[in-house]
Amino acid sequence: MSGNLSAAGVEETLKDFWASRPRRPHDGRKIAGVAAGIAERYRIDPVVVRVAFVAMLLCNGAGILIYLLGWLWLAQEGDEASAAEALLGRGRSSTPVPLTILLGLALLPATGFFVDGGFTMVGGVLLSVGAIYLLHRSRGPLNRPPAAAPEVSPVDPTRPTATTDPTPPAWDPLGAAPFAWDLPEPTPAPAPVEQAAKPAKPRSRVGGVTFGLSLVVLAGALVASSYSPWFTPAHTIGLVVATLGLGLLVGAVRGGGRGLIGLVVPLSLVGVAMTSFDFDALDGSDRVGDVRARPAAVDQVQPRYDTKAGSIDLDLTGLPNSGKVQTHVEVGVGSVDVRVPADADVVVDCHTGLGSVECLGVESNGRDRTENVTDNDRDGEGGLEIELDIRAGVGKVVVSRG
């Protein structure tokens, strides 16, 4: 296996892991033998593997999902294929078909927990996959399953063996002088001397060590997130990116680690998006799509207009010239356009996480833009009073007079 952390090296390691993946033993198992199989394959203490599964269980149940996948896709000793592969007709497995189907059904709620379990469970699953990857890179050659021996056709003792006549030497291809066949062959011309190949440059371990340190940082942040609110997903990704960036600096000096670029770039983009986008704007609505409203009376104005994604068009110009209106307008991704009467007294708070704000003539754009405007128009105080709280996660907020 390649020792370099690159796209080709990762693919090579994953293919080798699948070809020589652990088998669940009959002896030493506690449930299905997944932990015992991993320990036996890589020659480590099974207690360590079981403790790791318990630790991942605390990450919102990530250990359950990993164990079920191992039960389904790791073959048992003596079986041709795993339970899942046997169900697909790709070999024989001693696992009963009803049990395989039951395990597959159990994956559905486990996968649902993975989606809804938040950053802790997703991080736990990624941490488990990364740990298995590093374990196979470092201890993959140990205790590999034996390759299948080629079949040898049995020899029939009753069948006569063929006898061969003496073959003429190369200097007498016509066999004209059999009396001299016992003479030594002429000395062949000396073969050209090949230059010795240059020794291969040892592969750098910067990439693998840095990747392992980033997993340790991720694990520490997941544990610390239960005790400190600072360890948000955005901050955790920032710590991982910083660790990978440090590895790139060391690799620039000592050589190696170029494969880390494939991790740093997408994680950096995700981190920038998470710090720029107001995710709280998506939690306040169950609606997706456009919202359009034109109330004609004060009591027709709803206290809230919202959508996760889409546009909100709120026209208040049809309201009478008296009374008081308060409403909250919120969009996750999209735009907000609110029109108020020309002679109304308006107090408005406009905010966008990433985008632009045009709030009664006050304009700004960029990241985390907020404008607070109080406008009683030309006639001064009196008449219809409107208070607006308008927020957009990503998009444009416009408040104008009709």
Side-chain angles (χ1 to χ4, degrees):
M1 292 182 297
S2 174
N4 189 22
L5 186 64
S6 61
V10 171
E11 181 181 2
E12 178 185 350
T13 302
L14 294 178
K15 287 182 177 179
D16 186 73
F17 166 76
W18 186 254
S20 62
R21 61 190 187 273
R23 287 183 171 269
R24 297 183 289 114
H26 295 284
D27 301 329
R29 62 168 58 185
K30 299 299 182 182
I31 303 177
V34 176
I38 295 175
E40 182 178 331
R41 168 66 177 85
Y42 298 109
R43 298 290 177 87
I44 57 179
D45 192 340
V47 176
V48 175
V49 183
R50 294 187 178 110
V51 170
F53 270 108
V54 173
M56 290 302 101
L57 181 64
L58 300 179
C59 293
N60 287 353
I64 297 178
L65 178 60
I66 298 298
Y67 198 92
L68 288 176
L69 290 174
W71 196 340
L72 283 170
W73 291 100
L74 296 183
Q76 192 168 241
E77 280 185 347
D79 291 352
E80 295 178 353
S82 63
E85 291 172 314
L87 190 64
L88 299 175
R90 298 179 180 177
R92 180 189 59 82
S93 174
S94 59
T95 304
V97 174
L99 178 58
T100 303
I101 296 176
L102 184 62
L103 293 173
L105 294 176
L107 275 179
L108 297 179
T111 306
F113 292 147
F114 174 75
V115 176
D116 299 331
F119 177 69
T120 302
M121 182 170 185
V122 175
V125 172
L126 295 178
L127 188 63
S128 302
V129 174
I132 290 292
Y133 172 79
L134 289 179
L135 188 63
H136 190 79
R137 275 175 58 91
S138 61
R139 305 180 69 88
L142 301 177
N143 200 27
R144 296 179 66 86
E151 296 185 359
V152 180
S153 302
V155 178
D156 186 0
T158 62
R159 183 175 178 180
T161 57
T163 58
T164 57
D165 295 330
T167 304
W171 54 268
D172 187 17
L174 299 179
F179 56 86
W181 285 0
D182 56 347
L183 295 177
E185 292 281 352
T187 303
V193 179
E194 297 182 358
Q195 295 182 352
K198 295 182 179 180
K201 184 179 180 181
R203 294 186 180 274
S204 173
R205 302 181 61 183
V206 173
V209 172
T210 304
F211 184 66
L213 288 177
S214 66
L215 291 180
V216 173
V217 171
L218 175 60
L222 290 176
V223 174
S225 63
S226 302
Y227 303 96
S228 173
W230 185 86
F231 289 92
T232 61
H235 289 164
T236 301
I237 290 178
L239 292 174
V240 174
V241 170
T243 305
L244 296 174
L246 181 62
L248 286 175
L249 291 177
V250 175
V253 176
R254 301 190 57 182
R258 290 178 296 176
L260 296 174
I261 298 176
L263 296 175
V264 172
V265 173
L267 285 177
S268 300
L269 294 177
V270 171
V272 170
M274 295 184 71
T275 55
S276 302
F277 182 65
D278 184 10
F279 285 93
D280 294 335
L282 296 177
D283 296 334
S285 176
D286 296 328
R287 183 183 297 107
V288 175
D290 297 339
V291 176
R292 303 186 185 281
R294 194 179 189 278
V298 172
D299 57 359
Q300 293 180 1
V301 178
Q302 299 180 13
R304 182 183 180 89
Y305 298 90
D306 56 64
T307 181
K308 285 183 179 292
S311 63
I312 298 179
D313 189 337
L314 179 59
D315 188 352
L316 302 178
T317 58
L319 296 177
N321 191 23
S322 63
K324 185 175 182 179
V325 171
Q326 290 181 324
T327 187
H328 177 81
V329 184
E330 187 168 0
V331 61
V333 179
S335 62
V336 178
D337 188 357
V338 179
R339 293 177 297 281
V340 298
D343 53 356
D345 299 337
V346 181
V347 177
V348 57
D349 180 9
C350 300
H351 172 81
T352 181
L354 182 65
S356 63
V357 171
E358 299 177 12
C359 196
L360 294 177
V362 180
E363 300 182 5
S364 62
N365 59 79
R367 178 179 174 270
D368 197 19
R369 312 307 298 178
T370 300
E371 300 294 344
N372 299 305
V373 178
T374 300
D375 188 356
N376 296 324
D377 198 36
R378 294 186 299 270
D379 60 354
E381 296 184 5
L384 179 64
E385 299 179 8
I386 300 178
E387 294 184 9
L388 300 173
D389 182 17
I390 306 176
R391 297 186 175 275
V394 175
K396 184 177 182 179
V397 174
V398 177
V399 179
S400 61
R401 291 187 179 273

